[in-house]
Amino acid sequence: MCLVLCQLLFLGLNLASLAIADDQFIYSGFAQANLSLDGTATITPGGVLELTNGTFNLKGHAFHPTPLHFRQYPSGKVQSFSVTFIFSIISAFPDKGADGMAFLVSTNKSFSSALPAQYLGLVNNHNNGNTSNHIFAVELDTIQNSEFQDISDNHAGININSLHSVQSRDAGFYDEKNGMFNNMTLISGEMMQVWVEYDAGATWIDVTLAPVKMAKPARPLVSAIYNLSTVLTDIAYIGFSSATGVINSKYCVLGWSFSMGNIAASGIDMTKLPKLPHARLRPHSKVLKIVMAAAIAASVVVSGALVLLLARRKLAYAELREDWETEFGQHRFSYKDLFLATEGFEFKNLLGAGGFGMVHKGILPTSKLEVAVKRLSHESRQGTKEFITEIVSIGRLRHRNLVQLLGYCRRKGELLLVYDYMPNGSLDKYLYSEDELSLDWTTRFNIIKGVACGLFYLHEECERVVVHRDIKASNVLLDRALNGRLGDFGLAKLYDRGTDPRTTRVVGTMGYIAPELVRTGKASPLTDVFAFGTFLLEVTCGQRPVKQNANGDRFMLVDWVLEHWKKGSMVETIDKRLQGSCNTDEACLVLKLGLLCSQPFASARPSMNHVVLYLNGDMPLPEFTPTDMSLNMLALMENRGFDPRGVSYPQLMTCIGTM
Ligand SMILES: Nc1ncnc2c1ncn2[C@@H]1O[C@H](COP(=O)(O)OP(=O)(O)OP(=O)(O)O)[C@@H](O)[C@H]1O
Ligand SMILES: *[C@@H]1O[C@H](CO)[C@@H](O)[C@H](O)[C@H]1NC(C)=O
Ligand SMILES: *[C@@H]1O[C@H](CO)[C@@H](O)[C@H](O)[C@H]1NC(C)=O
Ligand SMILES: *[C@@H]1O[C@H](CO)[C@@H](O)[C@H](O)[C@H]1NC(C)=O
Ligand SMILES: *[C@@H]1O[C@H](CO)[C@@H](O)[C@H](O)[C@H]1NC(C)=O
Ligand SMILES: *[C@@H]1O[C@H](CO)[C@@H](O)[C@H](O)[C@H]1NC(C)=O
Ligand SMILES: *[C@@H]1O[C@H](CO)[C@@H](O)[C@H](O)[C@H]1NC(C)=O
């Protein structure tokens, strides 16, 4: 009897820790919480609410599952409320984060039309500031966006329907004793606590921030007078929104407490808080380092042995194959063939590893054809058929300047792509190697023309428009005769397939990503042309698209070439290894064309058709001067005639600079 009673009591207590009443709740960790999540938001098994997951340009939301009544009747006014939460922002870089998170109260919990990055997943460029949004938010912003008059890249702000804060302050708190202001760094990865309080009588909003170990400071960080009765509807959801931009930060919430009316939100139980996921590693001592290294080594050996055993046993040649695949017969390779071809994916056959996976050389058993086999991790899920259909359709594209995709093979969690083998490897190793491997100008010019033809084919000549999305020197491979061939075409698309084009992450490589691609996430032939422009400069200058000078400062290759052109010294930017042997007229044509292609305004870039004509000397380059280009940049910086959606150019540049 007593046992039953005790159990009931225990159960009751447990439930109470999740939801006390309709207008009051506490989450000390989210392991048992039933939040309504969307986008990148997830709850880790440990109970941390991760609003973003460390992928670029995405958004995530989490709401208390049921909406609350915010208005009190008969007056019909929005009541006082109080909320507190504990959060942590973990950025990939110690001094730069993106973009931010917000606590919010909103009528609508569907934010499908909101944009990521500086829009924080709250609004988009059309509805920012619109009173029909009915959103009250407190933003924790780690990027300074001039279009929203942000005060810094580390501030808290009170926002009504808009990203332009009513009031905002740099993150920090006022010391109780001496009244001094102490700075805090939002992206430090430390746990911090926020209190948001609305006093209905005075229509007063207070926001207070403090490190998690501290009691609530008496003096709030930022306050505003705003009558929320003019903003919120009676029934509204409360929750969090967060978005990443060009930098992949993680926004985590660990605890959350809310109370309607004039009662302060109950304290969050600090002892029950979940552990933060992968905070930046700080090895504590040498002993720890050695122990960790030993443990890792041991586990590698053990798991290696296990994997070997398993592989030897039943999994050796296991693969996934479904009925619909029979129509792709000739494009479907058996895993056994690929395994034998690459001698079991032997290390000695490893050609390289890229962002998507490892590449091995192989010789097919029956045809004795030399191939390159690329292994990608791929979760089989709905849409696999479309995925494979896309790959087969890519495989049907044929051009002498493309690396032929011969076919594919599917295993559990894995996809293998089979390409023609390119004996001379990728172009980047010739551009940056110190030894004698360097290519002469004639060869480089030939490669450039080849790549241009390949891209022209993808954009305009084949039966549908194929956007490459990842043009760069390492994706240009050289065949036996040192002709340039584009690899990896169409592949990037498969990795952001199927979602809203405005919310897809930007696939590409820093320095090759056109500004509008960062803003809209939408790749087009003109974003390819931008990357091709960078590629032209890279090949002619023999330098990486993001350069570093002796002081360690980073800057863009495009700007450097433009600067030299202004000073009349463009010839000096040509690769030193080409000295003497180089046709400077051709090289300067390529450099200018590179600048023309890499213009920030998409509409000012030439099409690949024109690029091919310019390169072959069948059409002269249009007249333009370095000043024209600088003016274009300036116009972009001032946002003149510029789609305000998205990151501004200078901001993008600093982001890239810090990377
Ligand atoms: N068809 C091929 N023939 C010969 N070598 C290849 C072939 N494909 C790839 N490689 C080699 O494998 C390496 C890795 O290729 P992969 O395309 O995966 O990476 P990447 O282009 O460097 O980066 P990303 O995956 O971001 O495009 C290349 O640098 C190249 O040296
Ligand atoms: C993050 O979430 C997105 C969308 O939900 C998903 O496509 C992506 O793979 C996730 N990234 C990681 C690192 O889990
Ligand atoms: C979780 O919330 C959903 C909808 O808000 C509801 O249907 C479901 O019953 C809830 N589950 C639990 C375990 O509370
Ligand atoms: C909520 O917003 C979504 C898009 O963000 C919209 O489609 C939907 O109609 C809205 N619902 C209401 C009730 O306004
Ligand atoms: C605000 O949004 C409403 C509904 O979406 C729309 O009808 C109205 O035109 C918008 N107002 C402004 C100023 O954009
Ligand atoms: C706090 O930050 C502000 C703005 O970033 C800066 O001007 C000030 O010097 C900082 N103060 C301290 C004590 O670090
Ligand atoms: C707030 O707005 C509501 C509705 O517009 C109004 O009835 C109320 O008087 C306002 N409160 C104050 C203090 O101005």
Side-chain angles (χ1 to χ4, degrees):
M1 183 63 186
C2 172
L3 207 70
V4 173
L5 258 179
C6 286
Q7 267 180 357
L8 275 179
L9 204 72
F10 184 71
L11 210 77
L13 278 178
N14 246 357
L15 285 178
S17 76
L18 289 182
I20 288 169
D22 257 348
D23 48 5
Q24 226 171 344
F25 60 79
I26 306 181
Y27 297 100
S28 302
F30 296 89
Q32 280 123 49
N34 186 19
L35 301 182
S36 88
L37 305 175
D38 71 42
T40 49
T42 50
I43 292 174
T44 65
V48 176
L49 166 58
E50 282 187 7
L51 293 166
T52 58
N53 64 3
T55 302
F56 300 112
N57 230 20
L58 290 178
K59 56 184 177 171
H61 301 93
F63 289 95
H64 185 63
T66 49
L68 301 171
H69 280 283
F70 274 85
R71 288 179 189 258
Q72 196 167 33
Y73 289 94
S75 73
K77 289 183 198 161
V78 167
Q79 340 176 30
S80 299
F81 60 86
S82 157
V83 59
T84 178
F85 60 92
I86 294 169
F87 73 97
S88 168
I89 303 175
I90 301 167
S91 181
F93 302 94
D95 57 349
K96 206 95 201 165
D99 265 90
M101 63 179 280
F103 161 78
L104 71 146
V105 181
S106 160
T107 306
N108 191 341
K109 70 169 174 170
S110 159
F111 281 83
S112 52
S113 62
L115 291 174
Q118 74 270 41
Y119 291 90
L120 302 183
L122 284 176
V123 293
N124 56 43
N125 52 322
H126 299 299
N127 69 0
N128 184 29
N130 192 324
T131 52
S132 67
N133 291 346
H134 301 293
I135 298 176
F136 161 67
V138 172
E139 65 170 31
L140 299 163
D141 197 343
T142 65
I143 288 267
Q144 180 166 17
N145 298 103
S146 49
E147 67 262 52
F148 307 136
Q149 281 87 45
D150 282 351
I151 53 167
S152 69
D153 62 358
N154 181 46
H155 64 269
I158 297 173
N159 295 20
I160 309 283
N161 295 326
S162 164
L163 287 164
H164 180 187
S165 303
V166 177
Q167 284 293 340
S168 60
R169 287 280 179 286
D170 283 339
F173 65 93
Y174 292 94
D175 193 295
E176 211 96 311
K177 292 194 193 86
N178 56 16
M180 289 269 289
F181 185 75
N182 292 281
N183 286 342
M184 288 168 69
T185 307
L186 292 174
I187 59 165
S188 63
E190 304 291 333
M191 287 201 258
M192 299 176 189
Q193 185 161 10
V194 172
W195 294 261
V196 180
E197 287 147 327
Y198 177 60
D199 178 341
T203 62
W204 186 279
I205 303 162
D206 273 341
V207 175
T208 315
L209 178 69
V212 78
K213 296 246 160 55
M214 237 172 82
K216 185 186 162 203
R219 181 168 170 196
L221 171 65
V222 45
S223 304
I225 295 188
Y226 209 102
N227 188 347
L228 290 186
S229 295
T230 63
V231 179
L232 299 180
T233 49
D234 177 25
I235 296 179
Y237 287 89
I238 91 171
F240 299 93
S241 174
S242 176
T244 55
V246 284
I247 295 178
N248 45 352
S249 301
K250 255 189 190 173
Y251 294 85
C252 303
V253 182
L254 297 104
W256 182 20
S257 163
F258 175 84
S259 170
M260 191 74 85
N262 281 315
I263 319 157
S266 324
I268 298 164
D269 186 347
M270 299 293 170
T271 61
K272 283 197 196 148
L273 287 189
K275 290 232 155 40
L276 265 181
H278 349 282
R280 253 179 245 124
L281 275 180
R282 289 185 212 91
H284 292 293
S285 68
K286 271 196 177 146
V287 179
L288 190 68
K289 270 190 202 166
I290 293 167
V291 169
M292 272 170 63
I296 290 171
S299 64
V300 165
V301 169
V302 169
S303 53
L306 267 178
V307 165
L308 263 180
L309 261 177
L310 283 177
R312 278 275 159 78
R313 275 202 190 156
K314 56 176 181 177
L315 289 177
Y317 305 130
E319 54 182 78
L320 292 178
R321 202 185 273 262
E322 287 170 50
D323 288 345
W324 50 261
E325 286 179 63
T326 47
E327 66 182 280
F328 303 140
Q330 71 195 50
H331 292 280
R332 170 85 208 209
F333 284 80
S334 80
Y335 185 70
K336 190 173 171 183
D337 280 355
L338 298 183
F339 191 87
L340 295 178
T342 57
E343 298 173 84
F345 298 97
E346 258 278 348
F347 181 74
K348 70 168 205 270
N349 292 328
L350 187 66
L351 290 169
F356 293 118
M358 306 238 239
V359 185
H360 283 87
K361 183 188 173 181
I363 299 174
L364 291 178
T366 40
S367 59
K368 303 288 172 227
L369 191 66
E370 285 184 309
V371 292
V373 183
K374 190 177 228 174
R375 305 176 76 170
L376 324 167
S377 71
H378 166 68
E379 289 314 318
S380 35
R381 55 188 158 181
Q382 282 185 333
T384 304
K385 187 169 177 184
E386 289 78 60
F387 195 101
I388 299 299
T389 311
E390 176 73 22
I391 285 175
V392 171
S393 114
I394 290 171
R396 294 205 173 106
L397 301 175
R398 263 161 225 277
H399 189 271
R400 73 196 135 80
N401 295 111
L402 297 179
V403 182
Q404 183 67 41
L405 175 62
L406 300 170
Y408 74 99
C409 172
R410 245 165 19 99
R411 306 187 82 206
K412 194 164 189 297
E414 196 175 22
L415 181 71
L416 296 98
L417 298 178
V418 184
Y419 289 96
D420 262 347
Y421 173 66
M422 295 291 122
N424 283 310
S426 59
L427 176 59
D428 57 335
K429 75 169 187 241
Y430 297 91
L431 292 181
Y432 308 122
S433 68
E434 300 295 309
D435 42 36
E436 302 305 305
L437 275 172
S438 173
L439 302 168
D440 63 21
W441 173 253
T442 322
T443 314
R444 292 196 200 195
F445 195 42
N446 183 42
I447 292 169
I448 287 173
K449 286 195 215 166
V451 172
C453 287
L455 195 54
F456 171 51
Y457 169 79
L458 289 177
H459 284 180
E460 300 178 36
E461 284 181 320
C462 63
E463 67 257 44
R464 66 190 172 112
V465 178
V466 176
V467 179
H468 186 290
R469 287 167 188 249
D470 200 10
I471 291 170
K472 56 178 171 177
S474 70
N475 274 339
V476 170
L477 296 161
L478 303 181
D479 64 15
R480 212 169 291 280
L482 289 178
N483 291 309
R485 291 176 178 236
L486 264 170
D488 268 359
F489 47 97
L491 201 57
K493 176 174 168 221
L494 298 177
Y495 277 79
D496 62 2
R497 173 188 55 97
T499 33
D500 184 334
R502 284 164 305 193
T503 61
T504 50
R505 81 194 158 107
V506 176
V507 175
T509 305
M510 281 301 157
Y512 298 90
I513 303 177
E516 78 270 15
L517 181 56
V518 177
R519 275 194 333 269
T520 62
K522 199 163 160 44
S524 69
L526 286 175
T527 57
D528 271 358
V529 172
F530 182 94
F532 181 73
T534 305
F535 167 77
L536 291 182
L537 301 181
E538 200 179 352
V539 176
T540 315
C541 306
Q543 312 234 22
R544 296 192 188 275
V546 182
K547 279 168 58 71
Q548 193 162 20
N549 68 12
N551 299 333
D553 299 330
R554 301 199 170 174
F555 53 99
M556 307 298 289
L557 183 59
V558 184
D559 294 339
W560 181 68
V561 174
L562 189 58
E563 217 41 58
H564 270 284
W565 188 18
K566 257 187 225 160
K567 287 189 282 185
S569 56
M570 196 174 224
V571 182
E572 286 174 27
T573 65
I574 300 171
D575 194 341
K576 296 283 172 287
R577 289 169 292 185
L578 295 176
Q579 268 167 358
S581 69
C582 172
N583 178 335
T584 44
D585 289 344
E586 277 173 4
C588 285
L589 169 85
V590 172
L591 287 170
K592 284 182 195 164
L593 182 56
L595 292 175
L596 195 65
C597 292
S598 289
Q599 294 191 87
F601 279 118
S603 56
R605 295 172 209 148
S607 68
M608 281 317 290
N609 184 3
H610 281 126
V611 170
V612 172
L613 293 174
Y614 297 143
L615 284 173
N616 290 333
D618 294 335
M619 205 160 97
L621 270 188
E623 288 293 325
F624 71 111
T625 63
T627 339
D628 294 338
M629 297 217 40
S630 300
L631 283 178
N632 267 352
M633 299 252 187
L634 212 63
L636 195 64
M637 284 184 196
E638 290 172 358
N639 282 357
R640 211 191 298 140
F642 176 69
D643 180 356
R645 218 184 323 168
V647 193
S648 58
Y649 200 60
Q651 184 203 328
L652 175 67
M653 286 311 159
T654 48
C655 284
I656 292 170
T658 45
M659 297 182 109

